[in-house]
Amino acid sequence: EAQPEAEKIVRLANVKVPFEAEALVLYYAHQWDKCLEQLKYWQADQPFSGRPYIFQSYVFAVMKENHEAALKVLREGMIVDPTDSTMTNNMAFSLINLGRYDEALAILNGVTTNDVPVDVQIANSATRGFFKYRTAKTIKDVEEARELYTKAITLARKHPVQKNRGQIAAMFQLLEELRLGVSLQDNEVAAIKKLAEKSLDPGVNFLVRKVHSIASTKSAKVPTSLEFDLHQLGAPKTDL
């Protein structure tokens, strides 16, 4: 099912670069290493485009969890386009994962939030929420992190084309809540599983399965205090 979906996206996006098209097909097939190989070819073929750098950094950071590699790619990409907001955001995300909080904060503080596209607003709010989670020292810090993620997810809901971004932000928030020791109720775990089965987007699918794997091993089931409804993110209702 993944390959026909990828080929459909390639057609709809009118992708002209063979390496980009092949990378998309491999991405939807969850073949991350082969996808990265095609992205390298795409980068060499179009050295003045920032898009292959962004795509590589996402696969390295999210699927491979190799943040050093993601940063290396992003530094190369920033030479091509030093003002690209997605590259800047991805760099902050990887720095946070590496515990390099001062560097990440300097980047986040330098990002303008005025008159920017909605996808940039969503990413910026989510990454700021991620930063708050990782640097939290008080309950107030955690509450602020939740508010920032809620802002990102709510904004994504208002723009259907950004649905996947909202789902990805929600899964990253759930991972942070689980890291803090919050457990999910059985019906929430079941809803996450169904979302994993339903979603064709590789990023959403990968993260949902990761959340489900962690959440389903929790012995205690206590309510979360998250400010979003999994069903509104696309998970079918369950009778559990």
Side-chain angles (χ1 to χ4, degrees), residues 54 79 163 171 182:
I54 293 169
I79 296 171
K163 177 182 176 181
M171 292 306 110
V182 173

Side-chain angles (χ1 to χ4, degrees), residues 31-96:
Q31 295 185 40
W32 315 129
D33 290 331
K34 290 183 178 179
C35 173
L36 285 167
E37 185 177 307
Q38 291 300 314
L39 290 172
K40 272 292 184 188
Y41 293 145
W42 177 17
Q43 176 187 323
D45 187 56
Q46 292 191 321
F48 300 111
S49 171
R51 290 168 57 220
Y53 297 96
I54 293 169
F55 201 159
Q56 285 179 80
S57 72
Y58 180 77
V59 175
F60 272 128
V62 177
M63 284 75 181
K64 303 289 288 182
E65 295 184 332
N66 187 340
H67 295 286
E68 292 289 2
L71 287 175
K72 181 177 182 296
V73 167
L74 288 166
R75 289 190 194 99
E76 295 171 358
M78 294 292 277
I79 296 171
V80 174
D81 188 353
T83 63
D84 187 278
S85 56
T86 302
M87 280 196 240
T88 318
N89 184 80
N90 289 6
M91 186 170 282
F93 176 79
S94 284
L95 286 168
I96 295 166

Side-chain angles (χ1 to χ4, degrees), residues 7 9 36 116 138 159 166:
E7 290 172 350
I9 287 172
L36 285 167
V116 295
T138 65
H159 299 81

Side-chain angles (χ1 to χ4, degrees), residues 119-160:
D119 60 320
V120 176
Q121 295 178 48
I122 293 167
N124 182 263
S125 185
T127 303
R128 287 180 181 276
F130 182 50
F131 177 85
K132 273 289 184 181
Y133 268 116
R134 289 298 175 96
T135 59
K137 292 182 173 62
T138 65
I139 293 296
K140 185 175 182 293
D141 291 333
V142 175
E143 289 172 350
E144 288 178 3
R146 288 171 176 163
E147 288 173 5
L148 285 162
Y149 265 107
T150 298
K151 179 181 176 182
I153 294 162
T154 302
L155 189 57
R157 281 188 195 153
K158 292 178 180 177
H159 299 81

Side-chain angles (χ1 to χ4, degrees), residues 98-222:
L98 292 170
R100 293 161 61 177
Y101 302 128
D102 290 343
E103 294 173 75
L105 183 59
I107 289 173
L108 290 172
N109 285 342
V111 173
T112 179
T113 55
N114 298 322
D115 299 320
V116 295
V118 67
D119 60 320
V120 176
Q121 295 178 48
I122 293 167
N124 182 263
S125 185
T127 303
R128 287 180 181 276
F130 182 50
F131 177 85
K132 273 289 184 181
Y133 268 116
R134 289 298 175 96
T135 59
K137 292 182 173 62
T138 65
I139 293 296
K140 185 175 182 293
D141 291 333
V142 175
E143 289 172 350
E144 288 178 3
R146 288 171 176 163
E147 288 173 5
L148 285 162
Y149 265 107
T150 298
K151 179 181 176 182
I153 294 162
T154 302
L155 189 57
R157 281 188 195 153
K158 292 178 180 177
H159 299 81
V161 73
Q162 302 294 336
K163 177 182 176 181
N164 287 346
R165 291 182 186 276
Q167 292 176 333
I168 287 169
M171 292 306 110
F172 273 122
Q173 183 181 12
L174 274 173
L175 286 170
E176 290 308 297
E177 290 284 330
L178 291 167
R179 188 181 64 84
L180 291 177
V182 173
S183 297
L184 303 181
Q185 298 182 80
D186 289 331
N187 66 316
E188 292 173 316
V189 175
I192 289 168
K193 182 180 180 182
K194 287 190 177 294
L195 180 56
E197 293 168 350
K198 180 180 178 181
S199 177
L200 288 175
D201 179 81
V204 176
N205 188 279
F206 180 86
L207 289 169
V208 170
R209 291 182 185 278
K210 184 176 180 179
V211 168
H212 181 261
S213 174
I214 296 171
S216 61
T217 62
K218 294 277 185 178
S219 55
K221 301 295 179 186
V222 296

